[in-house]
Amino acid sequence: MEDKANENILVRGLEDAEKDSRTPSQHTAQCLPGIDADVEALKEVVEDDVYASAPQDEVKELGVFRKLTRILLKWGVETHGITPVHPSKRTDPRIYQLFWVWFSCNFNILVFGTGSAGPAFFRLGLKSSLLVLLVVDIITCAVPAYFSVFGPKLGMRGMVQCRFSWGLYGAAIPSALNVISMEGFLILNGIVGGQAIAAVSDKLDDTLGIVILGVIALVITFCGYRVLHWFETYAWIPNFIAFPILIGLGKKHLDPSTFPAVDPPTPAMILSFGSFVASSVISWCTLTPDYGVYHNLQASERSIFLWTYFGFLIPSVPAYAPNLSIVCTTLTTYPYKQIAWHMLGAAFAAAAPGIPSWQSGFEQGNNVGGLIMAVLGPAGGFGKFMLVLIALSTSAACAPTMYTFGLSAMAIAPFFARIPRYVLVIISEAIFIPVAIVGAKRFYTTLVDILSVIGYWSTAFAAIVLTEHFVFRKNAWTEYKVSQWDQADLLPPGIAAVLAFLCAFGIVIPSMSQTWYTGPIARAGTGDIGVITGGVVAVGTYVVFRMVEKRIWPGR
């Protein structure tokens, strides 16, 4: 009943938007005539009014989309944009939903592809690949997990919350980069899902699979937050069923003693693969705040963090590892429930060169779907059916990236905020399909290049935002004056964040190693350490620049 009442209020706001030109202060004066309260109480009233007027202010900016938005709102489509969610609306007690969102996003074959890059692209053996995956995942999953706490506590989308360190205008930089990054993630998910569908039959190709996944993701994302949460709650089930089947069919080939020999790993190979895996995990930090903005703000930080942390960790590494040496030496004696898609991908990719059917399906490391089809081949038609389910469940990772694409685009500048989210996701779809079709021809090169570049900037971004939160705001949520979210003269100037970001890239560029460029530090034998050096420099320089900034502009 409450949701229906809120919907009716918003619809009336749409109908009256052109007539109502009151400012928040005028609205307060009309609703509360003769108010006589102390200063602090008045501040609370004004701040609440800013929250309450936000949906109506958004409606006024919709322009030509106003009538369409009114219709979609009646149909239940989410029309809320990037304005902060009022505390009275942040009441959903189902914090566990955050686990299912990120579990579904990561319990799929893109994560399989990331793990398989260790043997297939970085030329590591199974033991080295598994150790890197285990250590890096345990550490880096904490980053997107903590960012998830910002959603319920502040009610702000990720690219809006970052304005409290980057400033209103400086935040346009990470917002624009996140638009590109989300499209990159979407493309990768579409490629691997499309390859899987194409592997089912010679009559199918990558293009058809990419289009199918794109349409599914578009429908889910178009509907918005609630439908997306509902979908993610169940999207993991097909992969959960397929996982033990893959292990059972491939088990006889997963004896490390029979794997083709590889050269001993060098420090550069270990660091490069570690940085690549870290990039694939840390880069989720720009999304995680977006999916908790309606959840209970009274929930403990620990609860929000742990639900999200294990949502990332369990699909990637052993759910429990009583004997790590077993993980690193053999998978044939290790129960399937103790490994997940990262490690399964590494195991199958390491075994593939010694099994002609697997290597043929893998296409020299460029077709993850073909490799999985080769493993499922002995199951005949049932194996093909399972592969279709695995491929379609990739939409669980496509939908959140497309959703955040729209929100990030709206946060770039006021002009973009006038474009409804549902229009922006259609634009994302139009970009995604042709680029994914082209990128599918060189999967691992595309995978490593996209994830690594996303990782460089998102690590520096995370370092700046977390440094602001822990060092300058003392981990206190009351230090964020949410009503100032779009007021440039009250937010930080953003100069410190931009300078720290530039300094971070000053060290990232010579430290990076990609197919298209290798910096002098990486060439010296370190491998790709851009994620590590960029994050460290971002923290150090931001502390210095921010201290100076606060001296020049006190109170900001």
Side-chain angles (χ1 to χ4, degrees):
M1 292 296 292
E2 181 181 352
D3 291 341
K4 186 66 178 177
N6 291 336
E7 181 179 314
N8 291 336
I9 291 171
L10 286 173
V11 170
R12 287 197 300 271
L14 281 161
E15 294 170 345
D16 298 338
E18 291 179 344
K19 303 176 183 177
D20 192 351
S21 60
R22 292 173 298 170
T23 65
S25 58
Q26 291 170 333
H27 176 75
T28 302
Q30 180 175 333
C31 295
L32 301 170
I35 185 171
D36 183 16
D38 59 28
V39 174
E40 290 303 316
L42 182 58
K43 286 182 178 179
E44 291 180 6
V45 171
V46 172
E47 182 161 336
D48 279 351
D49 195 60
V50 170
Y51 273 120
S53 65
Q56 192 175 62
D57 291 342
E58 284 185 353
V59 167
K60 292 177 184 178
E61 294 180 350
L62 291 175
V64 296
F65 299 105
R66 189 177 297 123
K67 290 184 179 179
L68 177 59
T69 298
R70 182 189 303 124
I71 295 171
L72 294 176
L73 182 61
K74 290 181 179 179
W75 288 353
V77 174
E78 181 192 12
T79 58
H80 187 80
I82 58 172
T83 53
V85 177
H86 191 277
S88 65
K89 299 295 189 293
R90 303 204 301 273
T91 56
D92 192 335
R94 298 171 296 176
I95 300 299
Y96 62 83
Q97 283 187 331
L98 300 178
F99 171 84
W100 293 120
V101 168
W102 306 116
F103 184 82
S104 292
C105 283
N106 289 278
F107 199 65
N108 61 54
I109 50 176
L110 180 63
V111 178
F112 178 99
T114 303
S116 68
F121 189 85
F122 294 95
R123 308 304 175 193
L124 293 172
L126 177 62
K127 181 178 180 179
S128 300
S129 297
L130 293 182
L131 276 172
V132 171
L133 289 167
L134 181 66
V135 173
V136 173
D137 280 331
I138 287 175
I139 295 172
T140 57
C141 284
V143 178
Y146 193 82
F147 269 79
S148 181
V149 179
F150 286 109
K153 293 299 181 182
L154 299 177
M156 290 188 286
R157 312 291 187 168
M159 292 300 108
V160 174
Q161 187 277 328
C162 75
R163 293 177 178 179
F164 288 81
S165 49
W166 288 75
L168 181 64
Y169 304 115
I173 297 173
S175 296
L177 290 172
N178 208 39
V179 167
I180 298 170
S181 298
M182 292 305 98
E183 199 66 15
F185 263 129
L186 182 60
I187 289 166
L188 290 178
N189 284 303
I191 289 174
V192 73
Q195 287 179 341
I197 291 176
V200 172
S201 171
D202 294 336
K203 297 179 180 180
L204 302 177
D205 60 11
D206 301 341
T207 301
L208 176 62
I210 289 169
V211 171
I212 291 173
L213 288 171
V215 171
I216 294 173
L218 176 62
V219 171
I220 297 166
T221 307
F222 188 91
C223 293
Y225 185 94
R226 292 184 180 179
V227 172
L228 193 150
H229 267 281
W230 171 84
F231 176 75
E232 299 292 347
T233 301
Y234 304 103
W236 56 274
I237 295 175
N239 283 331
F240 187 79
I241 297 171
F243 194 83
I245 296 173
L246 279 170
I247 292 289
L249 292 173
K251 181 178 180 180
K252 64 181 180 180
H253 298 297
L254 297 181
D255 182 356
S257 65
T258 66
F259 289 2
V262 296
D263 295 331
T266 64
M269 294 163 64
I270 295 290
L271 287 171
S272 293
F273 182 50
S275 295
F276 165 70
V277 176
S279 296
S280 72
V281 177
I282 293 174
S283 51
W284 286 101
C285 74
T286 63
L287 285 81
T288 52
D290 296 350
Y291 302 93
V293 294
Y294 289 100
H295 283 75
N296 188 3
L297 63 84
Q298 300 299 333
S300 69
E301 293 180 37
R302 179 182 300 178
S303 175
I304 300 169
F305 174 84
L306 289 178
W307 278 118
T308 306
Y309 180 77
F310 287 111
F312 277 99
L313 186 67
I314 292 176
S316 303
V317 302
Y320 56 97
N323 191 338
L324 180 59
S325 63
I326 298 178
V327 182
C328 300
T329 57
T330 179
L331 292 172
T332 58
T333 60
Y334 200 65
Y336 78 84
K337 289 182 181 179
Q338 294 175 303
I339 62 173
W341 288 95
H342 258 169
M343 294 191 169
L344 190 66
F348 283 2
I355 306 167
S357 62
W358 288 19
Q359 183 66 356
S360 175
F362 205 17
E363 295 181 6
Q364 305 300 318
N366 281 306
N367 193 333
V368 172
L371 172 59
I372 295 179
M373 186 66 253
V375 176
L376 292 171
F382 177 73
K384 292 181 179 181
F385 173 71
M386 290 309 304
L387 183 59
V388 171
L389 290 182
I390 292 172
L392 292 178
S393 64
T394 308
S395 56
C398 292
T401 54
M402 188 179 286
Y403 182 85
T404 294
F405 172 96
L407 295 173
S408 298
M410 295 177 75
I412 294 175
F415 168 77
F416 293 102
R418 296 171 64 89
I419 305 174
R421 179 195 57 80
Y422 55 81
V423 174
L424 291 168
V425 299
I426 295 174
I427 294 173
S428 172
E429 178 86 350
I431 298 170
F432 155 65
I433 291 177
V435 176
I437 291 170
V438 174
K441 308 307 178 186
R442 297 170 66 245
F443 173 68
Y444 272 112
T445 300
T446 305
L447 174 72
V448 175
D449 286 351
I450 289 179
L451 285 186
S452 296
V453 172
I454 293 174
Y456 296 143
W457 85 261
S458 59
T459 301
F461 166 84
I464 291 168
V465 172
L466 292 178
T467 301
E468 173 70 25
H469 179 69
F470 287 107
V471 176
F472 295 99
R473 298 186 189 266
K474 310 299 182 184
N475 192 28
W477 304 110
T478 54
E479 289 293 313
Y480 293 88
K481 305 302 180 185
V482 178
S483 60
Q484 300 174 0
W485 70 279
D486 61 347
Q487 300 177 46
D489 57 336
L490 298 178
L491 290 166
I495 297 172
V498 173
L499 290 177
F501 190 70
L502 293 174
C503 289
F505 264 82
I507 192 66
V508 164
I509 292 173
S511 302
M512 65 190 294
S513 177
Q514 297 298 314
T515 55
W516 43 272
Y517 173 76
T518 300
I521 296 176
R523 278 200 306 270
T526 66
D528 188 346
I529 57 172
V531 169
I532 301 171
T533 57
V536 171
V537 169
V539 171
T541 54
Y542 183 73
V543 169
V544 175
F545 292 142
R546 182 69 170 126
M547 290 175 66
V548 174
E549 188 177 70
K550 288 179 73 69
R551 282 183 173 273
I552 299 174
W553 292 279
R556 296 176 63 186

